Amino acid sequence: MTEFGCARCSGEDALTALAFCTTRLRETHRLVEQSHFGISLRECPECTQAFAAIFTEFVDWTGGEDAQYFDFVPLTPAEVTSLAAQGSRVDLVRLGALGSLRRRLSSSWPTGGAKQISWRTDALSVREGY
């Protein structure tokens, strides 16, 4: 299946995993908390797998259907320690690189588009929302 997580937080069905991750992962650190951008470190209560949870929204001021993206990037204990130490000065390029190197859970809802929930392994660009 995956080298990170358990059947609950990293199971094959992305929709089921997202429902579990958004409601059951325990927040251990809040790195960034803005109205359109947030990064927290979370932990699975079943297997203790750590994740970086990244929320980004891009407000376009028309139509009210603003683009929203939510990614759960699995982390090693050393990465958790490093990111927690960075706090609000978290290195977004480095965080994006971690999300590009391994399977991550992603919810993508572009403006005017359909919501897509999937496991992804492509490049992750972490940018502040607005």
Side-chain angles (χ1 to χ4, degrees):
M1 182 188 313
T2 177
E3 67 184 285
F4 294 101
C6 64
R8 299 297 302 269
C9 66
S10 298
E12 282 304 311
D13 182 66
L15 183 58
T16 302
L18 184 67
F20 179 83
C21 288
T22 56
T23 61
R24 298 287 313 281
L25 295 186
R26 181 179 66 85
E27 185 175 296
T28 59
H29 299 86
R30 173 61 65 170
L31 305 182
V32 177
E33 187 169 9
Q34 300 173 7
S35 58
H36 304 290
F37 184 60
I39 301 173
S40 62
L41 302 181
R42 300 183 186 189
E43 182 178 84
C44 177
E46 304 284 328
C47 68
T48 70
Q49 173 62 55
F51 293 88
I54 307 160
F55 170 75
T56 310
E57 179 180 37
F58 297 105
V59 178
D60 65 10
W61 304 106
T62 61
E65 293 183 12
D66 301 319
Q68 295 184 9
Y69 304 92
F70 204 174
D71 290 279
F72 287 94
V73 177
L75 301 171
T76 67
E79 291 163 347
V80 169
T81 300
S82 174
L83 291 168
Q86 292 173 40
S88 63
R89 295 183 315 268
V90 62
D91 182 339
L92 301 183
V93 173
R94 174 75 179 127
L95 183 55
L98 292 174
S100 299
L101 293 173
R102 57 189 66 138
R103 180 178 177 254
R104 71 180 185 280
L105 183 56
S106 181
S107 171
S108 174
W109 197 353
T111 300
K115 186 174 192 177
Q116 297 180 355
I117 298 168
S118 61
W119 288 106
R120 297 177 65 169
T121 56
D122 57 344
L124 174 62
S125 174
V126 180
R127 303 183 298 148
E128 286 191 40
Y130 51 82

